[in-house]
Amino acid sequence: RGLGYGDLCSPGWLEEDPELFWGFWGQCYNDYRRARPHEGYEILDRWAERWFRHSPVAEQIRALQQQAAGAKDGQSNADHNDHDPFSVEDYAGAFFAFTSNVDAHHYDWFHACEIHECHGSTEFYQCAAGKQACKYATGVPLTCGGDAFRVDLATMLAPAAAPASPKVTTPTSPKSPKSPKCFDLKLRPCGWTKGATPRLGGGDLGAGAAAAAAVGRVRASERPNALRYMPAPPSPKVEACRAGFAVNHPTCPSCGGPARPAILMFGDYGWTPVKSQRRRWKLWGSTVKGMAASMNEAGPRSLRVVILEIGCGDRVPTVRGSSEIQLRALQKQGADVRLIRVNPELLTQDLVQQRRQLPILHIPARGV
């Protein structure tokens, strides 16, 4: 249809063309579930396990978070309510992963208490019933729903009543559809990118295939540690979720209205993030900054912090901006902090309004 990623990644399609919406996001889910995380995750996990999860500093950070949260030993640091996908029973130590990836691959190697997915995840879903949207489905994991989405890889459409076997169809018109309208979903359409070439296609890439991976065409492989650190949701939520995901277009387990991935899309005013995840990130960050200030005041040693940023682009520069903001905030609290920016192209400091150059070590390379 001549649609690019920016066109497809719009919540307006959920009402304008739900088969296209779930064709895109359903296949994204299928691909993410089938793809094995690259070895960089395992390398970081080894570093965290060796130096950052079990050190005296890590234990002190955990104790300070628990004290700040007003929790007693053995209690959860997350609220037990219907707005959270699960409860987390631990606190992060001297390691935390802040990511804009929505594939949930971090749960294969990192603990739930040390992950903040700032743009959401394909594993979590929310109610999308417009102004009447309830909050129950926010962050409901698809893992409790069961099967993968059925998508026609020839058209990249996901029919509401999925056939027993994929049915190849031909689009009725070669023209691109009109931009999705807003209706009452609190959405803003992206509009089309002129001349955009869709990276859509069917089938797996064989070994040694020259074609680049794309939606519906990934290098599928065994994923032995899939979501091993994602806590299980409460039993009642599992049962409710099965009904919501019994169809190819998921519905809210609470009100029966439409559901959607809890992901921040382009032109998206209806996204509901997993608030407990954000709270854990803020609590951990404020704890580390407070610890840096205390050590700086007591002297003679400062808290040493490293921010490792890997492959973050500038199209949606959320992670790049967060890295530099955290760097500056930790500096102000007296921490001995460095930002290591691993990127083959974008090596410059983004916060150019700073009067002095930030301590950033630029490594012009890829993550792995």
Side-chain angles (χ1 to χ4, degrees):
R1 296 191 187 187
L3 309 180
Y5 175 79
D7 304 315
L8 291 166
C9 188
S10 169
W13 291 119
L14 179 60
E15 187 163 350
E16 181 75 5
D17 192 341
E19 291 193 356
L20 178 63
F21 180 87
W22 287 113
F24 176 72
W25 285 113
Q27 193 58 44
C28 283
Y29 171 85
N30 292 346
D31 290 346
Y32 293 154
R33 272 302 194 91
R34 294 165 60 209
R36 183 173 185 165
H38 63 71
E39 58 269 30
Y41 288 89
E42 185 176 2
I43 293 171
L44 290 176
D45 177 66
R46 286 202 305 266
W47 291 354
E49 193 67 17
R50 182 174 180 181
W51 290 302
F52 302 109
R53 288 196 183 113
H54 310 291
S55 66
V57 171
E59 294 303 324
Q60 187 175 357
I61 291 173
R62 285 194 188 92
L64 289 171
Q65 289 177 89
Q66 192 172 26
Q67 182 180 0
K72 297 180 180 179
D73 291 343
Q75 286 189 339
S76 169
N77 62 3
D79 294 334
H80 294 274
N81 58 45
D82 288 337
H83 303 178
D84 294 319
F86 44 66
S87 294
V88 176
E89 304 294 336
D90 198 5
Y91 295 85
F95 168 84
F96 211 109
F98 180 95
T99 179
S100 60
N101 291 354
V102 299
D103 53 26
H105 284 182
H106 281 68
Y107 290 95
D108 289 22
W109 292 101
F110 309 141
H111 301 272
C113 64
E114 58 191 23
I115 299 171
H116 179 39
E117 297 158 304
C118 64
H119 290 166
S121 164
T122 54
E123 292 291 338
F124 304 144
Y125 287 73
Q126 66 179 76
C127 183
K131 295 179 180 179
Q132 290 74 41
C134 64
K135 296 182 178 180
Y136 178 87
T138 301
V140 175
L142 188 57
T143 47
C144 40
D147 297 334
F149 290 89
R150 300 304 301 270
V151 179
D152 183 342
L153 295 179
T155 62
M156 292 306 297
L157 299 177
S165 58
K167 179 181 178 182
V168 178
T169 57
T170 304
T172 56
S173 171
K175 296 181 180 180
S176 298
K178 295 180 180 180
S179 301
K181 298 178 182 178
C182 292
F183 297 99
D184 73 341
L185 288 175
K186 298 187 292 183
L187 311 176
R188 177 170 60 84
C190 304
W192 310 127
T193 303
K194 259 195 169 179
T197 303
R199 291 174 53 79
L200 305 175
D204 294 339
L205 288 176
V215 175
R217 193 178 65 227
V218 298
R219 294 179 178 88
S221 60
E222 186 180 355
R223 188 177 168 186
N225 302 316
L227 304 174
R228 62 174 168 171
Y229 289 124
M230 180 179 286
S235 297
K237 184 163 283 191
V238 173
E239 295 305 317
C241 191
R242 288 179 201 230
F245 289 97
V247 293
N248 212 30
H249 295 179
T251 58
C252 173
S254 179
C255 70
R260 51 160 281 188
I263 290 175
L264 179 61
M265 306 177 197
F266 295 118
D268 194 349
Y269 297 104
W271 175 55
T272 303
V274 178
K275 295 180 180 179
S276 59
Q277 210 180 69
R278 180 181 291 180
R279 283 198 305 271
R280 286 191 290 272
W281 163 247
K282 288 186 175 181
L283 175 61
W284 184 85
S286 62
T287 300
V288 172
K289 294 180 185 74
M291 189 173 176
S294 297
M295 291 180 64
N296 182 58
E297 184 178 349
R301 297 180 58 187
S302 299
L303 182 66
R304 293 188 298 171
V305 182
V306 62
I307 301 171
L308 178 60
E309 180 194 284
I310 305 174
C312 300
D314 61 351
R315 184 179 183 183
V316 183
T318 307
V319 175
R320 290 175 66 89
S322 177
S323 297
E324 296 186 13
I325 290 171
Q326 297 301 323
L327 172 62
R328 191 72 186 95
L330 285 161
Q331 273 188 325
K332 289 182 178 179
Q333 299 303 324
D336 179 10
V337 57
R338 298 290 184 275
L339 167 59
I340 301 175
R341 175 161 281 166
V342 182
N343 199 302
E345 298 173 350
L346 303 169
L347 301 177
T348 59
Q349 175 179 322
D350 288 359
L351 299 180
V352 293
Q353 73 272 23
Q354 297 289 342
R355 293 183 178 180
R356 60 178 178 174
Q357 194 74 13
L358 296 174
I360 303 176
L361 172 61
H362 300 111
I363 301 180
R366 299 186 180 276
V368 290

